[in-house]
Amino acid sequence: MQARSKPIPNYGHLIDGAVSDGEAQMVVISPATEKPVATVPDATRSELRYALAAADKAFASWSETDFAFRRECLFKFAEAVRRNEDEIAEALTREQGKPLAQARGEIAKAMAAVEKFTAIEIEPQIIRDTAEDRIELHYRPLGVVAGITPWNFPVILAAQKIAQALYTGNTMVLKPSPYTPVATLLLGKASIGAIPPGVLNIVSGGNALGAWLTSAPEVRKISFTGSGRTGQAVLKSAAANFARVTLELGGNDAAIVLPDADIDKAVPKIFAAAFNNAGQICMAIKRLYVHADIYHAVVARMAAMADAIQLGDGMDPESDMGPVQNRPQYQKLLGILDHTRRWTEGRIVAGGHVLERPGYFLRPTIVADIAEGSRLVDEEPFGPILPIIRFDDVDDAIRRANASDFGLSGSVWTADTERGAELANRLDVGTAWVNRHGGADAERPFGGAKTSGIGREHGLLGLHSYMEPLSLHVGK
Ligand code: NAD
């Protein structure tokens, strides 16, 4: 007798306020088992056209509503997502790989961010008011926004784009990564009843769908998070229709640890900032510069923390860390590891091997005694491998930290926070921290310098990037 396997669940698009099956389907694979976990639509051009038309039509009435009404809709959306947290968190773990508790944490943070964005007041600005004239600066919604997200934090990145675009009076067509579409489609389902039909549309599909979306004439703004190479393609597409663009791209963040840093406090935070989400965070610490005086102590503690990590399937409550999210990324990391072994002086002090089981499991890996000129230091690995680099002179450390095409964020770790702030302010980045690293607040503008991005999201600056400024000059 043949064992009957459970059918894999199917999830639909959200188009014009209803969930619909696509004409074509694609399969979503679990990175922990390499088995299918779901089927989702692989959108055709005509399905995308429906979604764009729905967003375009809904813009007329949505853009006329006030901030208070839109805030209320987004609050209802957040409540609905929270009510469905069990289902969304499980889907997120199965498709993305992260431990279930972290998937729940991602959903909680995402919904808190939705609420925080809508607490930011957007008012017209009075630039001049004299007896002769008055100048006011108004901000108006743009139209249809295209949102495109990667596979590392599908829920939080989608929720941030949805909140910013909708709160500012735009409508949206959002496309999740083909590796992790399910939790995002479930956000769409949860939005029904909270957000009027057509205002939010979520369509899944491959990379071609991204290119169709970013070149669509209805799209007035593109909010893209992903790799630099795709970011360049998005910029080119946007040029055809003069669409506004925000690009949140990769990073190769440096953290610089000075000899006076409190190692007991700093090391656990540094470890978390490098290895949370299996290192798959744009603003993870990817180059750790440690002063020679404390170098051995920091390396030993970081290695001990890496060795203590329980690596496994995210559905297992014992797991602290899940697999790398997809096979190409896993292979890239193994390539960097192989290069490190063959062509560098680097010493692997923790990890350095994969688990002998299905799935993309790489032990958290720490490489000491390595320097610039290696793939591990110069590229963005985007996974659980961290180089620790020794320095003697802090000015030299700052110079080396800045000698990168990336400029997302960076940090300085020291007991002297004033000096730390001065040094951090010399980093060529979009966000600089002292004694902390990582995290994006709804209130604080976030984005990258150099090749790490264009523009800023979050905060008033970010919300304004979803709007068209209008200078109103009144003669008296
Ligand atoms: P990716 O660029 O391969 O894909 C991102 C998204 O773009 C996916 O949805 C993909 O389907 C879509 N896409 C692919 N080709 C497209 C095209 N021609 N036109 C439009 N869309 C297209 O990136 P990824 O591998 O999913 O994500 C990892 C990268 O994202 C890393 O470099 C990471 O640092 C970066 N990232 C940046 C931030 C940030 O806020 N700065 C946050 C998370 C991840």
Side-chain angles (χ1 to χ4, degrees), residues 148-152 157 175-178 207 210-211 214 224-227 230 233-234 248-251 282 380 382 408 446:
I148 298 186
T149 51
W151 43 256
N152 59 340
L157 292 168
K175 186 202 90 65
S177 165
N207 293 342
T214 53
F224 172 81
T225 303
S227 65
T230 312
V234 168
E248 300 284 1
L249 308 176
C282 52
E380 177 190 38
F382 212 63
L408 190 58
F446 174 75

Side-chain angles (χ1 to χ4, degrees), residues 251 253 273 281-286 382 408-409 433 437-440 446:
D253 284 12
I281 306 184
C282 52
M283 57 186 140
I285 295 175
K286 294 174 184 142
F382 212 63
L408 190 58
S409 37
W433 287 282
H437 194 122
F446 174 75

Side-chain angles (χ1 to χ4, degrees), residues 38-122:
T39 54
V40 297
D42 185 359
T44 59
R45 268 182 189 271
S46 64
E47 285 160 23
L48 175 64
R49 270 200 292 270
Y50 267 111
L52 286 163
D56 205 22
K57 183 163 163 262
F59 179 70
S61 51
W62 182 250
S63 59
E64 290 294 317
T65 60
D66 60 16
F67 286 104
F69 177 76
R70 300 196 292 256
R71 180 180 299 132
E72 202 181 303
C73 293
L74 284 161
F75 264 67
K76 282 191 197 148
F77 165 62
E79 272 167 32
V81 170
R82 289 187 182 114
R83 275 198 302 277
N84 291 284
E85 185 193 296
D86 289 348
E87 185 189 10
I88 301 173
E90 190 173 315
L92 180 57
T93 290
R94 290 195 191 282
E95 66 180 346
Q96 204 284 334
K98 67 187 67 189
L100 192 56
Q102 293 171 28
R104 287 185 187 283
E106 180 174 341
I107 295 165
K109 269 194 196 155
M111 293 309 115
V114 167
E115 292 172 350
K116 282 186 190 161
F117 281 121
T118 66
I120 299 173
E121 295 289 339
I122 303 176

Side-chain angles (χ1 to χ4, degrees), residues 138-437:
H138 292 256
Y139 289 90
R140 308 202 298 197
L142 282 164
V144 178
V145 174
I148 298 186
T149 51
W151 43 256
N152 59 340
F153 282 98
V155 170
I156 207 157
L157 292 168
Q160 287 169 348
K161 291 186 195 307
I162 292 168
Q164 292 179 96
L166 270 51
Y167 179 55
T168 49
N170 303 287
T171 58
M172 179 167 237
V173 178
L174 180 80
K175 186 202 90 65
S177 165
Y179 290 112
T180 54
V182 179
T184 315
L185 291 171
L186 288 172
L187 293 185
K189 191 174 159 201
S191 76
I192 297 172
I195 293 169
V199 171
L200 174 65
N201 305 273
I202 301 182
V203 285
S204 60
N207 293 342
L209 175 64
W212 301 336
L213 176 58
T214 53
S215 56
E218 294 89 345
V219 169
R220 302 311 319 136
K221 158 143 186 145
I222 302 162
S223 169
F224 172 81
T225 303
S227 65
R229 192 147 30 120
T230 312
Q232 284 178 315
V234 168
L235 262 188
K236 281 188 195 147
S237 291
N241 300 302
F242 294 92
R244 279 67 179 135
V245 179
T246 309
L247 301 177
E248 300 284 1
L249 308 176
N252 196 9
D253 284 12
I256 300 173
V257 189
L258 303 191
D260 67 349
D262 180 341
I263 299 182
D264 289 341
K265 267 164 87 181
V267 167
K269 289 188 195 169
I270 290 172
F271 186 85
F275 288 102
N276 274 353
N277 212 41
Q280 302 163 119
I281 306 184
C282 52
M283 57 186 140
I285 295 175
K286 294 174 184 142
R287 294 177 290 156
L288 180 58
Y289 287 88
V290 180
H291 191 273
D293 288 357
I294 50 166
Y295 187 79
H296 290 298
V298 171
V299 167
R301 288 187 194 212
M302 290 286 290
M305 289 197 74
D307 287 340
I309 289 287
Q310 185 71 37
L311 177 66
D313 190 323
M315 294 305 292
D316 177 349
E318 299 294 309
S319 301
D320 306 314
M321 185 184 284
V324 172
Q325 201 283 321
N326 59 71
R327 178 167 282 282
Q329 184 61 22
Y330 183 57
Q331 278 164 342
K332 175 183 164 186
L333 292 167
L334 297 183
I336 290 178
L337 198 54
D338 184 55
H339 182 273
T340 304
R341 281 207 171 89
R342 279 172 195 258
W343 303 108
T344 76
E345 306 278 299
R347 211 162 35 91
I348 295 174
V349 294
H353 59 89
V354 302
L355 300 190
E356 293 304 324
R357 54 166 285 180
Y360 315 132
F361 292 98
L362 172 60
R363 284 287 320 164
T365 299
I366 292 184
V367 181
D369 303 343
I370 189 162
E372 296 82 358
S374 56
R375 283 191 65 192
L376 178 56
V377 176
D378 297 347
E379 293 181 19
E380 177 190 38
F382 212 63
I385 315 184
L386 178 72
I388 310 189
I389 307 152
R390 190 192 320 243
F391 74 88
D392 294 300
D393 171 56
V394 71
D395 289 323
D396 183 49
I398 298 271
R399 187 189 54 73
R400 291 159 77 183
N402 285 338
S404 165
D405 290 338
F406 293 105
L408 190 58
S409 37
S411 58
V412 174
W413 300 74
T414 172
D416 182 347
T417 53
E418 286 308 308
R419 179 160 180 253
E422 272 168 37
L423 292 169
N425 203 16
R426 285 167 55 195
L427 293 172
D428 297 336
V429 293
T431 305
W433 287 282
V434 178
N435 295 331
R436 55 187 304 154
H437 194 122

